[in-house]
């Protein structure tokens, strides 16, 4: 895999923790140049310092995926700093699950803004770059929740179904641009920390007793990006054994 990732320029959103952070580490360890973005700058600084100390080429940029201008600056910075952009990993996401009857409208809006509009903002920023280059790769973090609806998960599941539809649409419309949907099962991350509905939080905690390490998803992302331009890994579902 290292040969396929070596010198690839990859920008990763939601990289201050969990899957995004571990993916940045994995790609950098295998020779990729990484740009990490998130709102928590202190965590990004710590991550990039560690990567640079290990000899990797890494940079960070403040990023709010719900802000179109912020995402554009993020992608532009990658091109300015590294000379090109080979892949964008739209990883930022939130999961404040709750029953519809709880009427947590602000949380519904937040999921739509981050999980759907954040992905669209990433595509809108990267697509012109990829068109100019004649190639590129969009990797979107989805979820096994895209394939079924669970109680308290109607909005979250809907956002992930939307991610899958958007990714497939891009694949069909831009055949020279590779697209990959990565759908994790239960994985070590801070996603569950966004659940504010007490009863749902208890159910989620019980469901997440044996999560996969985030490295399982990082390796899946690395596998997809490492393929030659002629090979498009369209979709990967990664879940704990037996789940």
């Amino acid at each position: 895999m290292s040969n396929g990732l070596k010198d690839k320029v990859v920008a990763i959103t939601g990289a201050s923790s969990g899957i995004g952070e571990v993916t940045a580490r994995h790609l950098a360890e295998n020779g990729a140049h990484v740009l990490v973005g998130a709102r928590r700058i202190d965590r990004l600084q710590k991550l990039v310092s560690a990567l640079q100390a290990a000899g990797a080429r890494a940079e960070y940029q403040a990023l709010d995926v719900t802000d179109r201008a912020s995402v554009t600056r993020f992608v532009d910075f990658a091109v300015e700093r590294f000379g090109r952009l080979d892949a964008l990993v739209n990883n930022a996401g939130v999961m404040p699950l709750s029953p519809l009857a709880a009427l947590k409208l602000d949380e519904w809006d937040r999921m739509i803004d981050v999980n759907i509009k954040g992905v669209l903002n990433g595509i809108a920023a990267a697509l012109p770059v990829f068109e100019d280059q004649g190639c590129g790769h969009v990797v979107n973090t989805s979820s096994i929740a895209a394939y079924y609806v669970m109680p308290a998960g109607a909005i979250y599941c809907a956002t992930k179904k939307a991610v899958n539809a958007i990714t497939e649409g891009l694949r069909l419309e831009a055949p020279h641009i590779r697209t990959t949907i990565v759908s994790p099962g239960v994985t070590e991350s801070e996603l569950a920390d966004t659940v504010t509905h007490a009863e749902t939080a208890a159910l989620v905690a019980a469901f997440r007793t044996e999560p996969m390490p985030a490295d399982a998803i990082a390796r899946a992302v690395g596998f997809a990006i490492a393929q030659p331009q002629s090979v498009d890994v369209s979709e990967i579902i990664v879940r704990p054994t037996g789940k």
Side-chain angles (χ1 to χ4, degrees), residues 15-41:
S16 61
S17 66
I19 290 171
E21 177 187 352
V22 176
T23 296
R25 292 183 184 276
H26 175 75
L27 298 181
E29 287 169 1
N30 284 278
H33 307 319
V34 298
L35 170 64
V36 293
R39 294 181 300 163
R40 294 179 290 189
I41 301 300

Side-chain angles (χ1 to χ4, degrees), residues 57-120:
R57 192 174 178 195
E59 301 285 348
Y60 72 90
Q61 184 88 341
L63 175 65
D64 178 355
V65 298
T66 68
D67 181 337
R68 193 172 301 160
S70 177
V71 182
T72 299
R73 287 193 299 270
F74 180 67
V75 168
D76 288 347
F77 181 83
V79 177
E80 292 166 7
R81 187 68 182 85
F82 298 107
R84 69 181 190 280
L85 178 63
D86 295 304
L88 171 66
V89 180
N90 282 314
N91 173 72
V94 293
M95 191 186 71
L97 303 176
S98 65
L100 291 171
L103 296 179
K104 290 184 174 287
L105 276 66
D106 289 343
E107 293 183 356
W108 300 355
D109 287 342
R110 182 66 177 161
M111 280 187 278
I112 291 168
D113 288 344
V114 175
N115 297 357
I116 300 178
K117 292 183 180 179
V119 168
L120 289 171

Side-chain angles (χ1 to χ4, degrees), residues 46-242:
K46 183 178 179 180
L47 170 61
V48 168
S49 293
L51 295 178
Q52 291 176 342
R57 192 174 178 195
E59 301 285 348
Y60 72 90
Q61 184 88 341
L63 175 65
D64 178 355
V65 298
T66 68
D67 181 337
R68 193 172 301 160
S70 177
V71 182
T72 299
R73 287 193 299 270
F74 180 67
V75 168
D76 288 347
F77 181 83
V79 177
E80 292 166 7
R81 187 68 182 85
F82 298 107
R84 69 181 190 280
L85 178 63
D86 295 304
L88 171 66
V89 180
N90 282 314
N91 173 72
V94 293
M95 191 186 71
L97 303 176
S98 65
L100 291 171
L103 296 179
K104 290 184 174 287
L105 276 66
D106 289 343
E107 293 183 356
W108 300 355
D109 287 342
R110 182 66 177 161
M111 280 187 278
I112 291 168
D113 288 344
V114 175
N115 297 357
I116 300 178
K117 292 183 180 179
V119 168
L120 289 171
N121 287 340
I123 291 171
L127 195 53
V129 174
F130 292 160
E131 293 285 359
D132 286 344
Q133 294 176 166
C135 63
H137 192 172
V138 175
V139 180
N140 291 331
T141 302
S142 182
S143 170
I144 58 169
Y147 305 94
Y148 63 91
V149 178
M150 55 190 173
I155 307 302
Y156 179 72
C157 294
T159 66
K160 292 305 182 179
K161 287 176 181 289
V163 168
N164 288 16
I166 291 164
T167 311
E168 178 65 1
L170 179 61
R171 185 187 72 82
L172 294 171
E173 293 177 15
H176 56 294
I177 295 173
R178 297 194 297 161
T179 63
T180 301
I181 299 165
V182 179
S183 297
V186 178
T187 306
E188 292 176 349
S189 74
E190 297 180 357
L191 266 183
D193 297 346
T194 62
V195 180
T196 63
H197 186 262
E199 183 178 342
T200 301
L203 293 174
V204 170
F207 183 69
R208 294 175 61 84
T209 53
E210 297 180 6
M212 296 181 294
D215 179 69
I217 311 306
R219 285 184 281 109
V221 173
F223 172 79
I225 295 175
Q227 301 307 306
Q229 180 61 30
S230 60
V231 176
D232 190 355
V233 179
S234 299
E235 190 168 358
I236 305 177
I237 298 174
V238 185
R239 66 181 85 199
T241 302

